[in-house]
Amino acid sequence: ERGVAETYTLTPVQADAILRMTLGQLVNLEQEKLSNEHHELLTKMGEYLDILADEAKILAIIREDLEQIIKKYSEPRRTQINGEEISEVDLEDLIIEEQMVVSISHNGYIKRTPSSTYRAQRRGGKGIKGATTDDGDPVEHLFVTSTHDYLLFFTTKGKVYWQKVYNLPQLSRESKGRAIVNLLNLAEDEKIADCRAVRDFDRPDHYLMMATRHGLVKKTPLTAFSRPLKSGIIAIKLKEGDELVDVVVTQPGDEVVLATADGMAIRFQEFDARPMGRNTSGVKGISLVRDDTLVGMVVAKPTATLLTACEKGFGKRTFMGPNAVVESDSAEEDVASSARYRTQRRGGKGLRDIKTTRRNGPVIGITRVEDDDELLMMTARGKIQRIRAADVSVVGRNTMGVRIMTLDPNDALAAIVCVPIEEENNAESDR
């Protein structure tokens, strides 16, 4: 009637009428909802009062609930209730025991990796990548031990520190590792010289035999190292310019073999070195010629062989031979003894162990092995190779050995350790 317009408006009366209509409908809805809810509550109250008034109905409801519980939780009880006191839980009991390869770099980076990671290969191979390294931080130390063992870290300054193997960072074989200063309170000029795995410090007549770069040895009872301190303790008192090289565990009747970088070796009985306290310097183990230095020490075993490894990837095995009557300290060799290491007096020049030439380089380490053992070798650039000890030829002492690992240019063999073969890994190793 009014025509077409761009906008439309409502009068106040019209707007009020519309609002009143909407609010009325809402109020009616709420009234209906409240009424229904009130009716339901009254019905339930009647039912509940009826149940409370009849004991049979109460027992029937309880029975129905219990049957549902039985149906839902029908499995037998898995726990036992007894009167025993709860003892303290040892963290070690929760950790699986397995063999670990622990490596430490020149700049002090440490890691542990399961030894099963490194599959056995044939000798002479190039190995697999074992750690991410650079030219300024080559790998220097390699140890094989169990997760439940104590590791005694002996430093070049003659101190010793303790750490459980399972507390070391477990990383992949390609990882560089983590700084060891985060685990041990090392001084700025301290480096790890050697590491020994010990399970029990209270074994009677067991000693730690230490050897220094200048050819000194010292024997200290194992019990003297049974109280760990975070700050470490003095293991051997070193003379100026000397440093700790190697440590072994000995007992009465053992014989030890010392080897030098120029390929000399001496074997003597452990009682030739008398027991001493921790803060002492030791006695002469081998007489060194010119600039020769000590590189390693092992406990002799008549049925085992001594594996000698050189810097350029060459090595060889030689039978140690039975414990023998002490012979002359002379360095003169004879044909009869060239296939073994005869026992001498401590402090002599020793015998020729291996010929060191430009072809094979100086000796970098020695280890005691048997045919069933395996070897882990690591280069300065971080490559690791695992081979069977039986693949390394057994020859006489005065030889240059065979190639046991093919090295890349400017790389060098840095460490070699013996790995007792694990039964569970035999199948993998034989592939």
Side-chain angles (χ1 to χ4, degrees), residues 221-375:
L222 184 60
T223 54
F225 300 90
S226 61
R227 295 183 179 180
L229 293 177
K230 289 185 178 181
S231 58
I233 60 174
I234 296 175
I236 182 173
K237 186 177 180 181
L238 297 173
K239 298 180 180 180
E240 185 177 358
D242 201 0
E243 64 179 16
L244 187 62
V245 172
D246 214 340
V247 182
V248 296
V249 178
T250 65
Q251 56 185 322
D254 284 344
E255 296 184 347
V256 295
V257 178
L258 306 179
T260 73
D262 285 348
M264 300 298 293
I266 189 171
R267 174 179 179 175
F268 60 88
Q269 296 168 319
E270 64 88 27
F271 62 75
D272 274 358
R274 66 183 186 278
M276 300 180 181
R278 289 187 294 102
N279 197 14
T280 54
S281 59
V283 294
K284 181 180 290 187
I286 186 172
S287 295
L288 302 176
V289 180
R290 294 185 297 277
D291 297 329
D292 197 5
T293 57
L294 191 71
V295 296
M297 172 176 59
V298 299
V299 176
K301 185 178 180 181
T303 59
T305 57
L306 181 70
L307 187 140
T308 305
C310 294
E311 187 179 68
K312 295 185 178 180
F314 286 80
K316 57 94 181 176
R317 289 193 299 151
T318 303
F319 283 112
M320 291 187 176
N323 295 346
V325 178
V326 178
E327 300 181 20
S328 170
D329 293 341
S330 173
E332 294 294 330
E333 303 183 33
D334 55 82
V335 177
S337 65
S338 64
R340 64 178 177 87
Y341 299 86
R342 66 176 185 266
T343 305
Q344 298 176 278
R345 294 286 185 186
R346 172 186 59 80
K349 292 183 179 179
L351 305 169
R352 173 61 61 184
D353 174 32
I354 189 172
K355 289 182 178 179
T356 54
T357 63
R358 291 185 178 181
R359 172 177 174 263
N360 56 0
V363 177
I364 57 94
I366 59 173
T367 184
R368 188 186 73 190
V369 297
E370 299 191 32
D371 289 343
D372 293 336
D373 293 332
E374 294 182 348
L375 297 169

